[in-house]
Amino acid sequence: MSPTPLRVVARKWGDRPHWEFDALRLGSDQHGLWAGVPVGTVISRPGLTIVTRQLQVVLFPALPYVATFYSSEPEPPCRVYVDIGTEPVVSAAQVTSTDLDLDVIVGNHGRVWIDDEDEFAQHRVEWSYPDDVVATAVASCEAVAAAVRAGAPPFDGSHEPWMDLLRRHTLEA
């Protein structure tokens, strides 16, 4: 099956705008929907636009996070970046989610850390995150960090076949 267009829309709590970009729907497996982001993709949010420099594969699981895996050429900003948020909502042409600030990151040298805890603390008060949303975000962040550190699926290289598919597709295009 050939990849098809997919719009990715991440919001902040209260339906505030955040990152948006066009991707390619690569397919699904037991982990969720996989999308590809070719080199040169424009990713924008209010006040900032970036253009991707390496291939990226994004996992949208039926869980409250979105995980981005980066190819190693050229050197990426990190290996894996997991946005903790609401469970992604997938339709035929679009996937949407709400980013709840917390991130689990795997650096280029393998270090794993949780980022933006200060932003999460500020926004949970400022934007009135409900208690159940806070509890889910914290639990998801802890579970994702543990899975990443343990190399458990889908953080065990499960993204590689999807990266290979994206690589082949971009070479053919």
Side-chain angles (χ1 to χ4, degrees), residues 102-105 112-117 141-142 145 149:
L102 294 171
D103 306 302
V104 178
I105 301 171
V112 178
W113 72 95
I114 296 171
D115 200 24
D116 292 336
E117 291 172 294
C141 187
E142 291 170 356
R149 287 185 177 106

Side-chain angles (χ1 to χ4, degrees), residues 118-129:
D118 55 339
E119 188 178 323
F120 178 72
Q122 177 187 347
H123 287 165
R124 73 183 284 192
V125 172
E126 184 179 317
W127 294 346
S128 303
Y129 292 174

Side-chain angles (χ1 to χ4, degrees), residues 45-60:
R45 70 175 190 201
L48 182 63
T49 297
I50 61 172
V51 178
T52 60
R53 296 183 51 220
Q54 58 282 118
L55 297 176
Q56 301 172 24
V57 174
V58 184
L59 172 62
F60 300 99

Side-chain angles (χ1 to χ4, degrees), residues 47-98:
L48 182 63
T49 297
I50 61 172
V51 178
T52 60
R53 296 183 51 220
Q54 58 282 118
L55 297 176
Q56 301 172 24
V57 174
V58 184
L59 172 62
F60 300 99
L63 295 166
Y65 70 84
V66 173
T68 303
F69 301 84
Y70 295 84
S71 69
S72 59
E73 299 292 327
E75 186 171 338
C78 60
R79 288 183 190 171
V80 181
Y81 195 102
V82 183
D83 291 293
I84 305 300
T86 61
E87 184 176 318
V89 176
V90 178
S91 69
Q94 182 170 292
V95 61
T96 58
S97 64
T98 300

Side-chain angles (χ1 to χ4, degrees), residues 115-173:
D115 200 24
D116 292 336
E117 291 172 294
D118 55 339
E119 188 178 323
F120 178 72
Q122 177 187 347
H123 287 165
R124 73 183 284 192
V125 172
E126 184 179 317
W127 294 346
S128 303
Y129 292 174
D131 290 342
D132 62 324
V133 169
V134 169
T136 298
V138 169
S140 179
C141 187
E142 291 170 356
V144 167
V148 167
R149 287 185 177 106
F155 306 103
D156 62 346
S158 294
H159 70 286
E160 288 298 341
W162 302 104
M163 187 69 77
D164 290 343
L165 175 61
L166 178 60
R167 223 176 251 115
R168 285 191 311 272
H169 176 75
T170 57
L171 289 174
E172 295 167 0

Side-chain angles (χ1 to χ4, degrees), residues 16-32:
R16 291 169 175 84
H18 197 42
W19 295 109
E20 293 192 31
F21 58 95
D22 291 317
L24 297 170
R25 180 189 296 260
L26 300 174
S28 297
D29 65 12
Q30 70 273 21
H31 304 299

